[in-house]
């Protein structure tokens, strides 16, 4: 079976789909992953076929405008304000992205289409045109409504059935861009308009789109009021290849003393990464703990560091996190998953999107301190959180127990079984 996976975003939005793609290929399927051109070699080096997508949206995120948006998108309302602010600038980029995805789809002629969350509302009609099964994949519970929890981005209040309203608000915000895929459906795909009942959860024929949530039920339990086709599979981890090795400098640092504290915010550092670096350094020095300061793409910057702090450009989280004493990061779904699987206490300093949700989950599960939003992050409160993660025996035991549960799961195989079963049913019925 030929499978096309489409995802859009930073490395954390691409890596889980490479892992899923590898699993699908090992099961005998041919996989093409369509994503931003900046990740082309990442895709091909991991054995998957690459489908071209322009890099404009990633470049926008890394621009002054994009970094300003990151700093002012720390709530749902901030997200909506930012969406409206960037509306005119982003729309033509989404339009070109649709053409790129369609060019790949026409070339590959896949037997099934899997869409990541940031591409879900863009390319869904292509499955109708190709008359193939469609799956939406999410790293967090964003779209499928439940009375048991609000959509990420909303405060965790005891709203009961009113929680469902939060999902309608999210779908309304996503719907601000509906005219782009609707026009594409009409002028390029030459399909009739989607009926009013067909939204991000349903295809044009009214059938519910299978949703694959790539996280662990031990971290965020599956709501019991979800429909049968909304699945929580477990995480999709991409482990380093067997011949992967660390730098001599990193090995020497790890061997030189106690396990360090990992601090890194990925591509989420706003307009002033130097401030975050200063805060991190001051907190580590105040607590007398060794640390690894991860810079990464667009991340923290620090030109001079004391001997007790190592500047890391890039390393496999799957390899590194079991070798540190605690992890501190922005709360991206992938980084959160790696830290929790390693069984390490986790402090999340969220910026936007689903990051506050994962921060609350870590705190609620007792595997990390209360999250500190990046705007409120200081050397003082970060130092206190570090002391708590290192000295709190109950927190460390709960983190290790959760890690063992996550390591016992096989989210990739669970997802493959769902994909194969639904595709088989689709082919029988159609």
């Amino acid at each position: 079976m030929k499978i096309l996976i489409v995802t859009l975003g930073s490395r954390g939005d691409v890596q889980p789909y490479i892992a899923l793609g590898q699993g699908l290929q090992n099961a005998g399927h041919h996989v093409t992953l369509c994503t931003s051109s900046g990740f082309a070699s990442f895709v091909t080096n991991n054995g998957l076929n690459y489908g071209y997508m322009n890099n404009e949206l990633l470049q926008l995120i890394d621009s002054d405008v994009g970094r300003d948006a990151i700093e002012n998108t720390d709530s749902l309302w901030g997200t909506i304000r930012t969406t409206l602010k960037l509306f005119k600038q982003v729309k033509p980029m989404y339009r070109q992205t649709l053409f790129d995805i369609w060019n790949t789809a026409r070339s590959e002629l896949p037997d099934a289409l899997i869409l990541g969350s940031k591409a879900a509302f863009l390319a869904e009609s292509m499955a109708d045109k190709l008359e193939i099964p469609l799956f939406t994949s999410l790293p967090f519970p964003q779209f499928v409504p439940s009375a048991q929890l609000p959509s990420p981005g909303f405060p965790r209040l005891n709203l009961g059935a009113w929680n469902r309203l939060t999902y309608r608000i999210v779908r309304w915000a996503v719907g601000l861009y509906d005219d782009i895929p609707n026009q594409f459906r009409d002028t390029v795909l030459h399909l009739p308009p989607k009926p009013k009942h067909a939204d991000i959860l349903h295809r044009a024929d009214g059938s519910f789109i299978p949703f694959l949530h790539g996280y662990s039920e031990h971290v965020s339990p599956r709501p019991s009021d979800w429909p049968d086709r909304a699945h929580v599979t477990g995480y999709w981890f991409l482990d380093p290849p067997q011949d992967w090795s660390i730098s001599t400098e990193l090995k020497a640092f790890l061997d030189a003393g106690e396990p360090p504290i990992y601090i890194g915010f990925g591509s989420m550092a706003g307009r002033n990464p130097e401030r975050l670096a200063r805060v991190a350094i001051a907190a580590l020095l105040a607590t007398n703990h060794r640390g690894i300061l991860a810079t990464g793409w667009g991340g923290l910057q620090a030109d001079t560091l004391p001997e007790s702090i190592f500047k890391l450009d890039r390393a496999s989280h799957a390899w590194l996190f079991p070798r540190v004493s605690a992890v501190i990061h922005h709360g991206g779904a992938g980084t959160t998953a790696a830290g929790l699987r390693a069984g390490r206490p986790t402090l999340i300093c969220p910026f936007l999107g689903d990051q506050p949700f994962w921060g609350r989950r870590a705190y609620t599960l007792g595997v990390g301190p209360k999250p500190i939003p990046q705007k409120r992050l200081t050397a003082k409160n970060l130092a206190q959180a570090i002391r708590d993660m290192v000295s709190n025996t109950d927190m460390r035991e709960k983190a290790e127990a959760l890690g063992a549960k996550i390591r016992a799961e096989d989210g990739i195989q669970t997802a493959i079984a769902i994909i194969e079963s639904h595709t088989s049913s689709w082919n029988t019925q159609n």
Side-chain angles (χ1 to χ4, degrees):
M1 181 166 61
K2 297 173 67 175
I3 299 175
L4 173 61
I5 302 175
V6 180
T7 186
L8 174 62
S10 65
R11 182 185 176 96
D13 297 296
V14 176
Q15 184 163 309
Y17 295 98
I18 291 179
L20 177 63
Q22 287 183 338
L24 286 163
Q25 286 204 158
N26 291 337
H29 306 292
H30 175 79
V31 178
T32 296
L33 199 156
C34 179
T35 192
S36 301
S37 58
F39 296 109
S41 61
F42 185 32
V43 173
T44 56
N45 288 345
N46 280 282
L48 304 181
N49 186 42
Y50 172 70
Y52 174 80
M53 181 192 295
N54 71 81
N55 220 36
E56 290 183 351
L57 283 167
L58 287 188
Q59 291 170 346
L60 175 62
I61 292 173
D62 204 29
S63 68
D64 289 341
V65 173
R67 292 184 177 276
D68 179 70
I70 288 172
E71 289 195 352
N72 293 284
T73 314
D74 54 359
S75 68
L76 174 74
W77 311 117
T79 301
I80 292 175
R81 286 195 303 270
T82 299
T83 298
L84 293 173
K85 179 180 178 180
L86 299 179
F87 192 68
K88 290 184 179 180
Q89 191 169 354
V90 169
K91 285 186 72 172
M93 297 180 184
Y94 273 133
R95 190 173 291 110
Q96 181 57 51
T97 298
L98 267 180
F99 278 100
D100 293 341
I101 298 170
W102 179 233
N103 285 337
T104 296
R106 286 192 300 176
S107 173
E108 294 297 321
L109 295 177
D111 302 301
L113 177 61
I114 302 173
L115 301 178
S117 57
K118 292 184 178 66
F121 67 99
L122 287 173
E124 174 248 332
S125 289
M126 296 180 195
D128 291 340
K129 181 65 175 180
L130 298 172
E131 299 181 336
I132 58 175
L134 170 68
F135 302 85
T136 294
S137 168
L138 302 171
F140 53 94
Q142 183 180 24
F143 292 137
V144 183
S146 171
Q148 297 169 15
L149 76 162
S151 180
F154 288 85
R156 186 63 187 264
L157 302 174
N158 187 20
L159 300 177
W162 286 98
N163 280 327
R164 292 180 175 275
L165 179 61
T166 64
Y167 297 88
R168 295 186 66 178
I169 295 173
V170 169
R171 293 202 297 274
W172 168 82
V174 171
L176 292 173
Y177 293 94
D178 271 354
D179 62 319
I180 301 172
N182 288 343
Q183 289 174 4
F184 194 87
R185 181 182 178 92
D186 175 32
T187 60
V188 178
L189 301 180
H190 305 296
L191 292 173
K194 286 185 66 173
K196 290 184 178 180
H197 65 260
D199 56 15
I200 202 167
L201 302 175
H202 299 87
R203 298 189 65 162
D205 62 4
S207 61
F208 189 88
I209 300 169
F211 272 64
L212 306 173
H213 295 88
Y215 56 84
S216 172
E217 282 203 76
H218 297 298
V219 179
S220 182
R222 181 186 184 277
S224 60
D225 60 349
W226 270 6
D228 291 341
R229 287 194 178 181
H231 307 275
V232 177
T233 65
Y235 288 113
W236 305 339
F237 290 111
L238 180 67
D239 291 325
Q242 292 183 350
D243 60 353
W244 185 86
S245 61
I246 63 170
S247 68
T248 303
E249 294 80 7
L250 176 57
K251 184 179 187 305
F253 179 79
L254 291 171
D255 291 343
E258 294 295 318
I261 307 288
Y262 171 92
I263 304 178
F265 299 115
S267 59
M268 298 280 121
R271 291 177 297 176
N272 192 1
E274 294 82 5
R275 181 190 77 84
L276 292 179
R278 289 194 299 270
V279 167
I281 294 166
L284 288 168
L285 293 177
T287 58
N288 198 31
H289 283 293
R290 290 168 16 106
I292 290 179
L293 194 65
T295 55
W297 169 61
L300 297 174
Q301 304 295 323
D303 294 329
T304 59
L305 291 172
E307 291 184 1
S308 60
I309 301 177
F310 183 87
K311 180 181 177 181
L312 178 70
D313 289 328
R314 179 169 293 179
S316 164
H317 289 166
W319 185 92
L320 178 62
F321 284 179
R323 293 166 173 81
V324 303
S325 60
V327 294
I328 299 169
H329 56 83
H330 58 297
T335 312
T336 301
L340 296 180
R341 180 173 71 155
R344 297 297 178 259
T346 295
L347 170 67
I348 290 177
C349 304
F351 289 78
L352 75 166
D354 59 321
Q355 297 164 9
F357 172 79
W358 295 121
R360 289 195 300 271
R361 291 307 304 154
Y363 177 61
T364 300
L365 292 167
V367 300
K370 187 174 182 179
I372 306 173
Q374 59 91 16
K375 283 188 175 182
R376 301 176 191 170
L377 190 65
T378 66
K380 182 178 180 180
N381 59 24
L382 182 57
Q384 183 54 52
I386 289 173
R387 294 187 187 99
D388 194 18
M389 287 190 289
V390 171
S391 63
N392 189 324
T393 302
D394 182 61
M395 180 185 296
R396 300 189 69 82
E397 289 177 350
K398 287 181 177 178
E400 182 52 52
L402 177 60
K405 292 178 181 178
I406 293 172
R407 293 192 295 272
E409 295 179 318
D410 193 337
I412 292 174
Q413 291 305 313
T414 300
I416 291 172
I418 294 167
I419 292 166
E420 290 178 338
S421 175
H422 177 74
T423 301
S424 177
S425 298
W426 169 278
N427 292 334
T428 300
Q429 296 170 9
N430 294 275

